[in-house]
Amino acid sequence: MNKDSINNYLILLLAGNGSRMNLQNGLKKQFYMIENKPLFLYPLNSFIKSKIFKKYILVISKSDEETVKNYLKENNMKENIDLVIGGKTRDESVYNGLKYLSHFIKDNDKVFIHDSARALIDKDTIIKLKEESLNYDAITSVFKVYDSLFNNKENRYVNRDDYLKIATPQVFTYSIIKYCFDNLNFLSTDDYSKVLEYQKINKNIKTEVVEIPSITFKVTTIDDLKMLIALIKENKEYQI
Ligand code: CTP
Ligand code: MG
């Protein structure tokens, strides 16, 4: 297989409600303004800066369509960006993105799936993941665990070196992740878990974990948001 003929596509998820953040007036975290830009533009900008993508799919809620279009226009985003309507769960949103891609993607092309709530991702990490993805059917970003880890159910400490925190981006060969969504019917909070399930019955599937900087944490609570704002203000790399 000629690796140069593999195209990369991004599915960026912004169809969630941000209910745990509980912002005023029901504002969704992906539209929170930081330095005059809505939060979701920060990760999108990094993916665009990596210059490795053929197309960017933003998965949004129907009610946000005009808002997102306006933000893209205001910020001169003339890239190859398409909008797809998401679903009630993260799984449904991803699946809608994957089904939309089926119209033009090739089986061996790569799909990056990323939570827009993980606002801080740098272009070098994206490029590193692209290189790694060429050797596997599925890869997931991970963070190491630095806290002591305790199994409360069994009332005992566990060895933290045995554990990793799952993050995004996750990168998949299109035909593999599409097969998983078409055929494996269980709810999950990420997509790599689906491929691991499939791997149980298809031992040829190759998977790997890739450590990325923990700055790509998921903004879930107000404290996370405060941390994100401070990091963007002090770090030119992430400013738009
Ligand atoms: N997401 C999505 N469609 C959904 C649910 C979630 O596209 N139906 C996206 C979110 O926009 C987010 C990512 O999946 O970027 C990770 O989800 P999470 O952090 O849980 O965000 P929300 O679901 O928006 O927040 P909450 O669970 O607190 O409501
Ligand atoms: Mg959620």
Side-chain angles (χ1 to χ4, degrees), residues 13-21 29-30 87-90 93 115-117 218 220:
L13 296 170
L14 44 149
N17 286 325
S19 45
R20 282 170 290 182
M21 183 84 73
K29 58 188 175 185
Q30 55 271 40
K88 279 196 274 301
T89 61
R90 185 187 181 283
S93 293
D115 297 331
S116 64
K218 187 157 72 70
T220 307

Side-chain angles (χ1 to χ4, degrees), residues 4 7 10 24 62 82 106 112 120 124 136 140 146-147 155 165 178 196 225 227 231:
D4 293 335
N7 294 307
L10 172 69
Q24 269 187 348
K62 180 78 193 146
D82 289 1
K106 296 194 305 295
F112 283 60
L120 299 183
D124 293 340
Y136 301 98
T140 183
Y146 293 112
D147 296 309
N155 201 37
K165 293 204 237 178
K178 179 67 164 42
L196 285 199
L225 184 63
M227 198 144 64
L231 285 166

Side-chain angles (χ1 to χ4, degrees), residues 75-120:
N75 288 282
N76 260 318
M77 300 292 218
K78 297 197 187 81
E79 302 294 327
N80 213 346
I81 301 170
D82 289 1
L83 304 184
V84 168
I85 305 303
K88 279 196 274 301
T89 61
R90 185 187 181 283
D91 266 351
E92 273 184 57
S93 293
V94 172
Y95 197 21
N96 288 357
L98 289 172
K99 283 186 282 196
Y100 177 76
L101 280 172
S102 72
H103 299 299
F104 42 83
I105 198 169
K106 296 194 305 295
D107 273 356
N108 64 340
D109 283 341
K110 298 290 182 182
V111 189
F112 283 60
I113 302 176
H114 188 62
D115 297 331
S116 64
R118 298 183 185 275
L120 299 183

